[in-house]
Amino acid sequence: MQPSSCDTFVALPPSTEGQRIIFGKNSDRPCDEVQEVVYFPARDYAAEEKVECTYIEIEQVGHTHAVVLSRPAWLWGAEMGANEHQVCIGNEAVWGRESADDEEALLGMDLVRLGLERADTAEKAVDVITELLEKYGQGGSCMEDESGFTYHNSFLISDRKEAWLLETSGKHWAAEKVQGGYRNISNQYGITTKIDKEHPKMREYAQSKGWWDGKTEFNFATVYSFMTTARIEASGSRYCEGKQLLEKSNGHITAETMMGILRDKDSGINMEGMFMSTGSMVSVIPTNPELPGVHYFTATPDPEKSVFKPFIFVENARPLKETSSPSYGPDDPVKKKPRFQSKPNRRHELFVKHELVAAIIESYKDRGQRITKSMRDLEKTKMIEMEEILSSGIDKPDNLADLFSRSVHEEMTVYSKS
């Protein structure tokens, strides 16, 4: 198995239709891994409280924002998600000259969740993540086994007005602001000479390692990465394909455009095989702060065989039980040392029903086409409903408190009829 994972996209005006920012990500993970979609409301904490992340405990802050997350069911953090302030974050695995650390620290996925819980703008999320990186470092196995699969992380972060690309190598990092157009990332360093924020010793460190002579123009991707490994080559083709797909719709990129890109198998963006797209997300964020954002998640593998279902932040939003995996608490094999001695069943209710339907779609052409059409019809109906809210705002917030769960039940009804 050659690990390679994830494609993340953001499109801002004038590349989008209307004054909206469109964010999207496919989470490419081991094909037997379950991805859940969960909601955590905003919370206040007492002084000196701690928070237990996937491997380590860190200091908690006084207040965390409400978040909706798509995450591998075995860990604390998230592959992608959004918060009540319409900040969206997705991360990518990157490899470079600095070896990735297998010593347990914060996972990149922990940093995604921490950034969402603690920042109300994209730029503040950059600050949150980099401060935590400096204090605690990044490291530990990124898969639910003893393979020691580790990597550095890049992050694409957006809010209502801009996006930021943050790329890391150990504790060193560079960040670039994106104020218009579109951007995508795919497992390779992409920041070159336009650097808007950086680790204060990032250049000095590179020079001390002999990666940079201190005289030529500093190019982060050239200095910190290898461009020869099979991983980078594979991600390079996906990056180019993704960029071309965005360019094809430049000026009128919509949520439907982004879903289409995430479903594209020819490009490799909708990944199949031992690593596959196990969860997908598309967010639509109006630049007008009076209007809500809509966040679509599949909570199931292969977006081509899945339904994007909407979530909207409202005050009384309810837990997402149908897409939450079983919890094993302190008995979870991830929490016990040595870790990963067994793998419990982490399949949530929707995953179980979807698994059967996906097999039918794969095995029976005519029947599969009918099921897929019903799934697309449901998705289209939901998107039409959401368009009214995106344009006019929320009339009755309580009616949206269980929006995602209702959509999941409608999806499961489609499966039952099939």
Side-chain angles (χ1 to χ4, degrees), residues 122-328:
E123 185 172 1
K124 284 182 186 174
V126 171
D127 296 339
V128 166
I129 291 170
T130 55
E131 285 165 14
L132 289 166
L133 194 61
E134 181 67 26
K135 188 169 185 178
Y136 298 104
Q138 59 181 322
S141 178
C142 300
M143 294 203 299
E144 191 185 5
D145 58 33
E146 295 179 286
S147 66
F149 177 46
T150 60
Y151 48 75
H152 303 295
N153 289 268
S154 65
F155 305 86
L156 197 53
I157 310 169
S158 66
D159 58 24
R160 288 192 186 270
K161 66 174 186 173
E162 63 192 22
W164 283 81
L165 172 55
L166 168 63
E167 299 185 334
T168 71
S169 178
K171 290 190 175 185
H172 297 95
W173 56 272
E176 178 186 347
K177 183 192 279 191
V178 182
Q179 290 180 284
Y182 53 80
R183 194 66 178 260
N184 61 307
I185 55 174
S186 301
N187 304 125
Q188 60 181 15
Y189 289 108
I191 295 174
T192 56
T193 57
K194 182 183 180 296
I195 300 173
D196 296 300
K197 287 190 169 197
E198 64 184 78
H199 187 286
K201 295 187 177 178
M202 180 260 290
R203 297 176 197 236
E204 179 186 321
Y205 181 75
Q207 196 170 356
S208 73
K209 301 288 279 189
W211 301 339
W212 180 54
D213 62 11
K215 298 172 186 174
T216 54
E217 185 177 28
F218 189 88
N219 180 312
F220 183 79
T222 301
V223 170
Y224 270 87
S225 73
F226 299 118
M227 300 308 287
T228 55
T229 66
R231 287 170 177 162
I232 299 301
E233 285 167 9
S235 71
S237 66
R238 292 198 333 272
Y239 168 78
C240 293
E241 293 277 356
K243 192 173 181 181
Q244 288 169 12
L245 289 167
L246 288 167
E247 175 60 34
K248 196 182 294 184
S249 297
N250 191 21
H252 49 91
I253 295 171
T254 63
E256 290 90 340
T257 309
M258 194 65 76
M259 290 173 188
I261 291 172
L262 298 184
R263 285 175 166 142
D264 193 282
K265 288 196 184 261
D266 291 343
S267 63
I269 290 168
N270 184 4
M271 195 172 285
E272 299 179 285
M274 294 301 288
F275 258 58
M276 71 174 294
S277 298
T278 56
S280 303
M281 168 187 176
V282 170
S283 292
V284 185
I285 312 298
T287 57
N288 180 353
E290 300 302 314
L291 296 173
V294 177
H295 308 278
Y296 295 94
F297 294 91
T298 59
T300 52
D302 188 351
E304 179 64 25
K305 298 187 183 80
S306 296
V307 177
F308 283 92
K309 300 163 287 290
F311 176 93
I312 294 177
F313 285 95
V314 290
E315 192 173 341
N316 297 314
R318 293 172 196 157
L320 312 181
K321 294 179 182 177
E322 301 80 6
T323 56
S324 295
S325 295
S327 174
Y328 296 93

Side-chain angles (χ1 to χ4, degrees), residues 1 8 20 57 63 88 90 99-101 156 189 206 238 241 290 312 314 324 329 332 371 379-380 384-385:
M1 181 168 65
T8 310
R20 294 176 181 176
E57 189 178 78
H63 178 81
C88 301
S99 63
D101 200 343
L156 197 53
Y189 289 108
R238 292 198 333 272
E241 293 277 356
E290 300 302 314
I312 294 177
V314 290
S324 295
D332 196 306
I371 295 169
E379 185 178 277
K380 189 173 182 181
I384 290 169
E385 291 174 11

